[in-house]
Amino acid sequence: MNLVPSDLSHFDWDNQRVFLAILTEGSLSAAARALHVAQPTVRRRLDALEHSIGTVLFTRSPAGLQPTPDALVLAGHAAAMASAAAAFARAASGPADGVAGTVRVTASEIVGTEILPPMLAALRARHPRLRLELHLGNRNEDLLRRDADIAVRMARPVQAALHARRIGAVPLGLFAAPAYVGRHGLPARLADLPRFALIGPDRAAGDLAMVNQAGLDLSRDDFALRTDNHVAQLAAIRAGGGIGICQHPLARRAPGLVPVLPDLFSLPLEMWVVMHEDLKRMRRVRTVFDHLARSLADYLQGRA
């Protein structure tokens, strides 16, 4: 088997985009919808790619198209090329010395949903030629691979070649909605928590381990409502579904949440803004970086 085409001039990047879309979506029809092309186009491009590398990339099954071992070998390389192509497009979207063009920001779901939108709106009001992409996910995007230009991270970055600014420590605590407290009261000590309706992680063992290291002694079964989505956790707390963990600055926003055992439980979580060292010279990226650093510092101090 030869996974390298004999003639690289016929190695069409659009064929690889189709390959990645099928990997992600699981079928030709779903890939066609994701790429906004006709299904026969997807089929034709897949056939062309398989012909160029001399191997079958997918097999049919009742669950859809299944990648072959060869496809899995190629997946990481194709994803890296997709990231590089997207980074190239962003870099070419505006002059390096101007505040115009595209900047891609990545953040956790809770930060990207609850904290960043007004900050980005204010930035766009000052720089209307900026185009912002906001990717949300609790997995850290690889800035070295240029999956994003700027990241807001809740842990100190460890990769080299990154420019990072520590914003501060975000205090986390236990909170409940006033309606829930009115119906059920408040626990007097941490040991009382399992007698209340708790909101917390489902399968994210790391989240549970982190809060237990901070002083709680809970298992998955202690939570009445379990979800690994932090936005859903906050929504459930606000709706009066029980007691859960929330950032103090978020809890202070209207409608205000009630602190639960604030003297007995507190968990500081570091916040950083990070970008690739090479992007410091690109004015639009630096402008977004500096704006987020200032705005997030104001957020921690209760000024935003």
Side-chain angles (χ1 to χ4, degrees):
M1 176 194 64
N2 178 21
L3 293 183
V4 179
S6 57
D7 185 355
L8 291 176
S9 66
H10 296 296
F11 202 38
D12 192 334
W13 163 239
D14 284 333
N15 295 344
Q16 295 173 65
R17 289 179 62 241
V18 164
F19 165 64
L20 282 174
I22 298 171
L23 267 178
T24 303
E25 304 296 333
S27 70
L28 297 178
S29 58
R33 287 192 297 270
L35 295 173
H36 304 291
V37 298
Q39 184 172 330
T41 300
V42 172
R43 175 77 265 179
R44 184 172 65 253
R45 290 199 170 277
L46 176 60
D47 289 343
L49 180 60
E50 290 180 331
H51 176 75
S52 69
I53 62 177
T55 190
V56 173
L57 295 173
F58 295 94
T59 59
R60 293 188 178 276
S61 77
L65 292 180
Q66 297 298 311
T68 64
D70 290 337
L72 297 177
V73 169
L74 294 172
H77 300 294
M81 292 181 69
S83 294
F88 180 89
R90 293 196 302 272
S93 65
D97 58 352
V99 188
T102 303
V103 177
R104 185 174 179 84
V105 179
T106 181
S108 69
E109 294 166 344
I110 194 74
V111 170
T113 302
E114 292 285 336
I115 301 171
L116 292 187
M119 300 175 184
L120 297 178
L123 178 65
R124 281 270 300 117
R126 286 198 293 274
H127 302 287
R129 296 174 63 199
L130 268 179
R131 297 293 180 265
L132 301 172
E133 298 176 355
L134 182 58
H135 175 269
L136 304 187
N138 293 329
R139 181 183 71 86
N140 286 339
E141 293 296 293
D142 191 342
L143 296 184
L144 295 183
R145 203 176 67 178
R146 305 297 175 88
D147 289 343
D149 300 314
I150 297 171
V152 179
R153 290 184 174 171
M154 308 309 290
R156 184 185 184 95
V158 296
Q159 291 175 302
L162 295 180
H163 175 70
R165 184 180 302 176
R166 183 180 183 274
I167 306 304
V170 186
L172 305 183
L174 295 167
F175 291 89
Y180 180 83
V181 176
R183 293 193 305 269
H184 302 282
L186 292 170
R189 52 185 184 153
L190 293 177
D192 296 336
L193 282 172
R195 302 209 308 265
F196 290 77
L198 301 182
I199 298 166
D202 179 22
R203 299 180 181 179
D207 285 1
L208 182 59
M210 181 176 63
V211 298
N212 280 341
Q213 288 170 5
L216 300 184
D217 184 18
L218 300 173
S219 70
R220 181 176 181 273
D221 291 337
D222 288 320
F223 294 97
L225 192 158
R226 296 190 290 263
T227 174
D228 293 329
N229 186 296
H230 296 164
V231 176
Q233 289 182 17
L234 178 58
I237 296 169
R238 286 172 171 165
I243 298 171
I245 291 177
C246 177
Q247 297 182 21
H248 280 258
L250 279 182
R252 287 194 294 265
R253 295 180 175 180
L257 298 179
V258 178
V260 177
L261 302 174
D263 296 331
L264 299 179
F265 177 81
S266 180
L267 176 62
L269 199 61
E270 287 196 344
M271 178 180 282
W272 295 76
V273 180
V274 190
M275 68 177 173
H276 195 286
E277 186 78 24
D278 292 346
L279 295 179
K280 288 195 300 182
R281 296 184 293 273
M282 192 168 288
R283 188 179 172 197
R284 67 174 175 274
V285 179
R286 186 70 198 215
T287 297
V288 177
F289 181 96
D290 290 341
H291 173 79
L292 289 180
R294 288 191 301 269
S295 300
L296 289 169
D298 288 344
Y299 165 76
L300 292 190
Q301 297 300 318
R303 298 191 296 265

